[in-house]
Amino acid sequence: MKGKGHKKAIWKILGGMIILLTVLGWMPVNARQKNIIMATTTSTQDSGLLDMLLPIFEKETGYFVKTIAVGSGQAMAMGQKGEADVLLVHSPAAEKKFVSEGYGIHRRLVMHNDFIIVGPPEDPGKIRGLNSGAEAFKKIASAKVLFISRGDNSGTHAKEKAIWTACGINPVKEKWYQQTGLGMGETLNVASEKRAYTLSDRGTYLALKRHLQLDILTEGDAILLNIYHVIEVNPAKWPKVNTAGAKAFADFMVSQETQGIIKTFGVDKFGSPLFFPDAGKKEEDLGK
């Protein structure tokens, strides 16, 4: 009798464990429905903008956003593999290709700021005050002064390569040209430590300026415009992506409330916003 009772007790425990494991087995599925993986550029993270926006989004919708801040190229590579639900990126040419190849849907304009060329205050390349990005790059190359590139296939790196191409220079094998493979904040720190030049988005530079020995030396060129879009990963390509969550986040980024926050973000600290809201505008009209 003792043996039978012992067996019944064991089966009862095992049965309870099976039920518990069954319930727990469903929990990750339900949890995933409220979790969103957002792949974004490091500038939105380093500037502090996401720290402002995400708590508002999460409180309003009940979604939790896992942010993966990498270069725009890496963010789109994640989207191509179905490893993210939504992208917030700033590499327009690559974005258009991403969408045309069926990896993304509903690419929407969110905001812009601009790129700036920063360098040591003593400015050995003599680029201070130039309003042409290509001319500044030519002078840096001619003087053979150290230039630090992100070298990470980010939107900033893509813009930098476009400027080098515009001035007919391929610096990759030059001794004065170094690549970090890092995000914007880290690359700015390296440039500051090495008394070198680099290309940065204005928002990240201003957010970190007090820790840097770098001045804004060249700005205002149309080629330096920096445009951000939100893109939902295509569920037809990757059925397991959180389609509802991705749409909720994209809708939030272009909403009137969020655009209002973007419009004033940074004004209290820097006297001007770090980004300019653009939802509903045409990309070709920006910078005019």
Side-chain angles (χ1 to χ4, degrees):
M1 291 294 293
K2 186 177 179 181
K4 287 182 180 179
H6 185 63
K7 287 179 181 179
K8 284 182 179 179
I10 292 174
W11 280 111
K12 188 173 182 180
I13 293 170
L14 288 174
M17 289 177 65
I18 290 169
I19 292 170
L20 179 61
L21 289 171
T22 300
V23 172
L24 291 175
W26 281 103
M27 283 179 66
V29 176
N30 293 331
R32 277 199 301 273
Q33 291 173 355
K34 299 304 290 183
N35 288 342
I36 304 168
I37 299 175
M38 177 187 55
T40 186
T41 171
T42 59
S43 58
T44 57
Q45 184 77 42
D46 292 343
S47 65
L49 179 64
L50 291 180
D51 292 333
M52 172 71 74
L53 294 179
L54 291 185
I56 298 170
F57 170 74
E58 291 174 346
K59 184 177 180 180
E60 288 182 356
T61 65
Y63 286 106
F64 174 77
V65 181
K66 179 180 180 182
T67 303
I68 301 177
V70 289
S72 288
Q74 291 172 273
M76 282 180 271
M78 289 181 63
Q80 288 176 334
K81 297 174 185 175
E83 295 173 350
D85 301 307
V86 65
L87 313 179
L88 180 60
V89 287
H90 65 139
S91 188
E95 294 165 21
K96 290 173 185 176
K97 185 173 183 287
F98 178 82
V99 173
S100 68
E101 291 177 349
Y103 295 108
I105 57 173
H106 305 146
R107 175 176 175 259
R108 288 187 268 178
L109 180 60
V110 175
M111 60 191 180
H112 79 275
N113 59 10
D114 62 342
F115 291 106
I116 50 179
I117 302 172
V118 299
E122 58 270 24
D123 186 25
K126 308 300 180 188
I127 69 166
R128 188 185 295 275
L130 293 176
N131 56 15
S132 166
E135 186 61 30
F137 273 28
K138 284 180 183 178
K139 294 195 76 170
I140 289 169
S142 177
K144 299 185 185 303
V145 288
L146 187 60
F147 184 96
I148 304 295
S149 168
R150 282 180 59 170
D152 63 349
N153 198 33
S154 62
T156 304
H157 186 214
K159 177 64 73 173
E160 179 217 311
K161 289 189 291 184
I163 299 172
W164 287 120
T165 299
C167 57
I169 296 172
N170 182 4
V172 174
K173 294 183 180 180
E174 301 292 339
K175 291 182 179 179
W176 50 266
Y177 184 84
Q178 297 178 11
Q179 300 184 66
T180 65
L182 301 172
M184 192 70 259
E186 294 167 300
T187 298
L188 281 166
N189 285 327
V190 172
S192 181
E193 290 170 7
K194 295 191 173 187
R195 316 297 287 178
Y197 295 89
T198 192
L199 180 73
S200 174
D201 69 281
R202 188 181 295 271
T204 304
Y205 169 77
L206 290 177
L208 303 177
K209 180 182 177 181
R210 66 185 182 276
H211 303 301
L212 303 171
Q213 295 298 312
L214 298 170
D215 286 355
I216 298 175
L217 300 173
T218 298
E219 59 183 329
D221 189 353
I223 199 174
L224 296 176
L225 196 62
N226 183 28
I227 304 170
Y228 293 79
H229 291 86
V230 64
I231 308 171
E232 299 160 52
V233 174
N234 190 355
K237 184 81 73 170
W238 298 105
K240 291 185 179 180
V241 301
N242 189 338
T243 307
K247 183 179 185 304
F249 179 78
D251 288 345
F252 170 79
M253 289 303 297
V254 300
S255 70
Q256 186 175 353
E257 176 193 13
T258 303
Q259 293 283 294
I261 295 170
I262 291 170
K263 185 176 182 179
T264 59
F265 178 72
V267 172
D268 55 341
K269 281 189 177 181
F270 309 111
S272 63
L274 301 193
F275 301 91
F276 298 89
D278 292 319
K281 297 179 184 177
K282 293 181 179 179
E283 187 175 322
E284 57 268 26
D285 292 335
L286 302 184
K288 293 182 179 179

